[in-house]
Amino acid sequence: MSTAPAAPSVSPKPLPDNAQVLRVAIPVVLSGLSTPLIGLIDTAAVGQLGDAKYIGAVALGALIFTFLYWAFGFLRMGTTGLTAQAFGAENGVEIRACLGRALLIALAAGSGLILLQVPLEFAAFTLVGAEADAEALARTYFDIRIWSAPFALANFALLGWFIGLQRMRTALALQLFLNGMNAGLDGLFVFVFEMGVAGIAYGTLIAEVSAALAGLFLAARVLKSMPGGWDLAALKDKAALARTIAVNRDIMIRTLLLLFAFAFFTAQSAGHGNEVLAANTILMQFVSFAAYFLDGFAFAAEALVGEALGAKRREAFARAVKLSTLWAAGISLLLSAGFALGGPFFIALLTTAEPVRALAGTYLVWAAVLPIASVWCYQLDGIFIGATRTGEMRNAAIFSLTVFLACWWLFQPLGNHGLWAAFTLFALMRALSLAVYYPRLAAQSAGAAA
């Protein structure tokens, strides 16, 4: 009696390993480190024009767009989590729908910014004062660059989508293309065509438009190799749309609360005098530098956790959390040690003012402690974004901001040390408040198949 041949066994997808974590994290770190170079290039370009008003105008204009676009950071984070889960579930239709929904939101939000540019410009320059000549140039910068808003927001969506698919080299290439084109056009428009601040704005506008078009081209190429196709019904699915809106709404609220915390820190620094403000600004550069590295492993957690949950693989979830967190913790220790040992040297590079150097040295301990104190909130943010548990992130931001403001009020007798202590507790509370929710998230993953 003959027997039918056994069906070929399909080997299970391997669990996340250190190499996979690094493949996701390293391009994110490199991409992040490339971004501040553009600010330096912009400053260097207008700095050759021989008048401080040009530097001030570009700095002011860029600051306004940084704060304006930071509020739309949900387009990157929300898209990553939703795409990673669709990728884990091997759902090609939903992968396309995630991109389509994100791009539609970017188009709508960007168009809204253009339509509201007059009141936005009025509000921005009312809040951020400057000398008349610098403000006039900054308004020119604003009036030009605002027209790239839909494309700039589309770049957020595309970046989040590529990260969700773990196409980190593509994400890095797109970011380098944006930054490289921006730098090249700045040089062309300022030095060759002598367009001044307007040239900087046009360079950024053209770079953002070009990067969005390049991103769409690359996305189309990626989708050719994926099963499924575009489905209008899936794109308009009410449940999926409601989930997308809820995820993005919660992340936006959370981001605005964090933005307020950083702005409040800067405002209180100014209240302690110009020298303390300068010292804190320098030390915040250390914090920002650390963020580029910690973000890399948080992004790895987003992509790998989302994939694991989409595939319903609890072991992959636990492995992704463990490995990305171990790497992040190790990097945070190195960063803290580097700041503690090399801090005085870097402070001296950033300022020649002796009183500012002395004050920065006095408060350096806080910048050295912060990588270790904040790594946990970065990681938990990444885990919860990957799981699209954004309601918990919103609640954690509300709680931690409340604690920050209460501690600032209580620690006022300690002066600037009190401000830094409250800010450090803010980072710890962000982590602690998310950690309270983590067992429930882990239990959710345990309910999935191994």
Side-chain angles (χ1 to χ4, degrees):
M1 182 177 179
S2 63
T3 58
S9 61
V10 178
S11 37
K13 193 171 183 179
L15 294 173
D17 56 18
N18 287 312
Q20 189 176 9
V21 171
L22 292 176
R23 278 198 301 271
V24 177
I26 291 175
V28 174
V29 173
L30 294 175
S31 173
L33 290 173
S34 73
T35 301
L37 294 177
I38 296 306
L40 291 175
I41 291 169
D42 285 352
T43 301
V46 295
Q48 305 306 309
L49 299 178
D51 194 321
K53 68 183 180 184
Y54 297 112
I55 298 176
V58 170
L60 182 58
L63 178 67
I64 290 170
F65 281 98
T66 296
F67 278 80
L68 191 62
Y69 289 158
W70 199 8
F72 293 93
F74 63 81
L75 275 170
R76 203 285 303 159
M77 291 179 274
T79 305
T80 294
L82 294 167
T83 303
Q85 291 182 22
F87 178 61
E90 299 181 354
N91 187 339
V93 172
E94 183 58 22
I95 286 172
R96 289 169 172 82
C98 286
L99 176 61
R101 294 185 202 109
L103 289 174
L104 287 174
I105 293 172
L107 176 62
S111 300
L113 292 177
I114 291 174
L115 291 173
L116 295 172
Q117 61 180 288
V118 173
L120 284 172
E121 184 175 359
F122 175 79
F125 286 99
T126 299
L127 292 172
V128 184
E131 293 186 9
D133 51 357
E135 181 177 317
L137 290 168
R139 286 179 180 273
T140 297
Y141 180 97
F142 180 95
D143 292 340
I144 295 169
R145 190 178 168 187
I146 191 65
W147 291 96
S148 71
F151 300 93
L153 298 185
N155 285 324
F156 288 176
L158 287 161
L159 180 62
W161 190 74
F162 285 124
I163 292 172
L165 296 178
Q166 298 177 38
R167 300 271 181 161
M168 308 311 298
R169 291 183 180 178
T170 304
L172 173 61
L174 198 58
Q175 195 67 26
L176 292 177
F177 173 76
L178 169 64
N179 293 342
M181 174 170 278
N182 193 0
L185 291 173
D186 284 354
L188 176 67
F189 291 153
V190 172
F191 298 126
V192 177
F193 296 126
E194 299 181 350
M195 295 172 64
V197 170
I200 297 291
Y202 278 117
T204 304
L205 182 150
I206 295 171
E208 287 174 335
V209 172
S210 300
L213 296 177
L216 291 172
F217 172 77
L218 293 173
R221 290 189 60 182
V222 168
L223 289 174
K224 283 183 179 179
S225 63
M226 286 191 175
W230 289 97
D231 187 331
L232 186 59
L235 190 64
K236 298 191 299 182
D237 181 79
K238 290 184 178 179
L241 280 171
R243 185 186 181 203
T244 300
I245 291 169
V247 165
N248 290 330
R249 177 202 63 212
D250 292 337
I251 294 177
M252 185 176 189
I253 293 170
R254 168 256 186 198
T255 302
L256 290 172
L257 293 172
L258 298 187
L259 180 60
F260 175 82
F262 279 88
F264 185 85
F265 179 91
T266 301
Q268 295 306 312
S269 298
H272 289 293
N274 288 337
E275 290 178 349
V276 169
L277 174 61
N280 284 358
T281 300
I282 288 171
L283 293 177
M284 269 296 178
Q285 298 304 310
F286 288 55
V287 176
S288 298
F289 180 79
Y292 294 126
F293 288 88
L294 301 181
D295 263 342
F297 296 98
F299 280 32
E302 291 177 29
L304 298 176
V305 163
E307 181 191 10
L309 291 177
K312 302 185 184 304
R313 301 175 68 217
R314 83 168 170 271
E315 289 184 9
F317 169 84
R319 184 87 168 160
V321 170
K322 177 182 177 181
L323 291 181
S324 62
T325 302
L326 285 173
W327 273 103
I331 293 296
S332 72
L333 288 171
L334 291 175
L335 287 166
S336 287
F339 292 166
L341 297 174
F345 171 75
F346 291 111
I347 289 169
L349 286 179
L350 292 170
T351 180
T352 58
E354 288 300 333
V356 175
R357 284 181 176 180
L359 283 170
T362 299
Y363 303 116
L364 175 63
V365 61
W366 296 107
V369 165
L370 264 167
I372 298 174
S374 62
V375 62
W376 317 110
C377 68
Y378 279 90
Q379 277 304 108
L380 284 163
D381 273 355
I383 293 165
F384 277 77
I385 287 170
T388 59
R389 299 287 287 267
T390 54
E392 287 91 336
M393 294 176 65
R394 177 203 60 214
N395 296 342
I398 294 170
F399 171 76
S400 54
L401 179 61
T402 302
V403 172
F404 171 47
L405 295 175
C407 289
W408 162 78
W409 184 77
L410 289 171
F411 297 165
Q412 286 188 77
L414 301 176
N416 196 44
H417 278 298
L419 179 61
W420 276 102
F423 190 77
T424 303
L425 284 172
F426 173 61
L428 290 171
M429 288 303 104
R430 284 175 59 195
L432 180 61
S433 51
L434 282 176
V436 170
Y437 293 112
Y438 181 77
R440 189 165 61 187
L441 175 58
Q444 174 194 345
S445 74

